[in-house]
Amino acid sequence: MQPRDIALVVIVGLALGLAALFALRKLGPADGSAAESYAHQADKAEALPELWPVPDFSYLDQHGKTVTPQALRGQVWVANFIFTQCRTVCPLLTSKLVQLQRLLAGVDVRFVSVSVDPAHDSPEVLRAYQDKWAPEETRWTLLSTDEKTLAATAAGFKIAAAQSDSGVDPIIHSAVFVLVDGRGVVRGAFSSEDRADFLALVKAAKKLAGQETKQAPALAVDGPSLYHQLSCAGCHERPDLAPPLGGRAGKRQELTNGQLAVFDDAYVTESILTPQVRMVRGYTLLMPAYDALLDEARLKALVDYVMAMPAPPEESAGAARVEADPVCHMKVRVTDSTPTTSFDGGTFFFCAEICREKFLTTPAAFVSSP
Ligand code: HEC
């Protein structure tokens, strides 16, 4: 086994361990003090006990402005933990945050995403990340952290964030949302992966913030705007994360169970409402369910739009160049902005800068192994 593969096994093992921990905690009383242990409590939206004060921090946001817990006083906020180069849980987590922003439209809450990758996620990088996922959202603060204080901040939120030596994602971290009240006290930790918990968070945030206060910007009703507002492209325009959706109507798709699915109205509807029922083969990332957000008319508009999406021009011309990243082995669609380097007379392409950097430290190790 390559060291990389071992790291992967460790990560998968850790993820399974965490999942098991979640399952156990669901059954038995919570032990320990990690934020995870407060997830999955019944009637959380009703009780909202005062759990612990948020830790002190002072970080720059995506606009270069200093943000502290004091500056957030008087404001209900939801915190989560991400890093922009992450390709496994973070796109899913961020797409859930985007759903949360839509479900809490018009409610006076702030969304605070704390980066667990201080070396890479500068304010500029976080700004670009916001532009990709929710450019119009004014209540979203993305914090660039620093190496010296990140561990203390994560510990203060009772959140796991640890470095790992993997080619896929270098940082393992928690997938919970933490709800903070206007006095800076944590009032709940909610699993992003559990539907009931996610809906309990919506309810709890409304309760703390005092229901709808502002004129809510309504969720769009037409397909193109819905596709944009729900940030479907955040995953689907990156072939290494999710299957491209353009030009697929009537074609067949291979599923994880070995069967084929025809890309028709019923299949697309099911993919959006209950994506885990039939899954496309070859993707590690999970597609989030959108059933909490879409009424019948909006769902139909979105399905019609996806069915009519044209194939991307390069693909129809047969000119799309897809290469395998020599570090993580993901498929990469080569464009002008694809990270690349030359070595030993060959040209190599990478899914992200992080893989390129890894390659550059020991190129021969990645080239010699097939
Ligand atoms: C967090 C990333 C992510 C987001 C956001 C996302 N998807 Fe997906 N989607 C995936 C992945 C990964 C798959 C393939 C695995 C599977 O089938 O679940 C997928 C599969 C699909 C499929 C089946 C595709 C095929 O080729 O068979 C459809 C249709 C789809 N998504 C539509 C949407 C729509 C519409 C939205 C926005 C409302 C959306 N997705 C948002 C990740 C995402």
Side-chain angles (χ1 to χ4, degrees), residues 60-84:
L60 292 181
D61 72 5
Q62 74 271 37
H63 308 293
K65 213 180 96 204
T66 302
V67 176
T68 61
Q70 291 73 37
L72 293 165
R73 282 280 160 115
Q75 172 85 67
V76 173
W77 47 289
V78 175
N80 75 345
F81 299 80
I82 58 156
F83 63 105
T84 60

Side-chain angles (χ1 to χ4, degrees), residues 91-92 95 133 226-227 230-232 234-236 241-245 248 253 263 267-268 271-272 275-276 278-280 283 285-288 290 302 306:
L92 187 59
S95 69
W133 282 97
L226 281 167
Y227 191 82
L230 301 178
S231 307
C232 306
C235 293
H236 282 284
L241 291 184
L245 299 177
R248 301 281 314 143
Q253 184 64 278
F263 200 101
Y267 172 73
V268 172
S271 296
I272 295 169
Q276 260 67 282
R278 283 190 284 178
M279 290 181 31
V280 182
Y283 295 91
L285 182 64
L286 291 177
M287 153 101 185
Y290 287 89
L302 186 57
V306 170

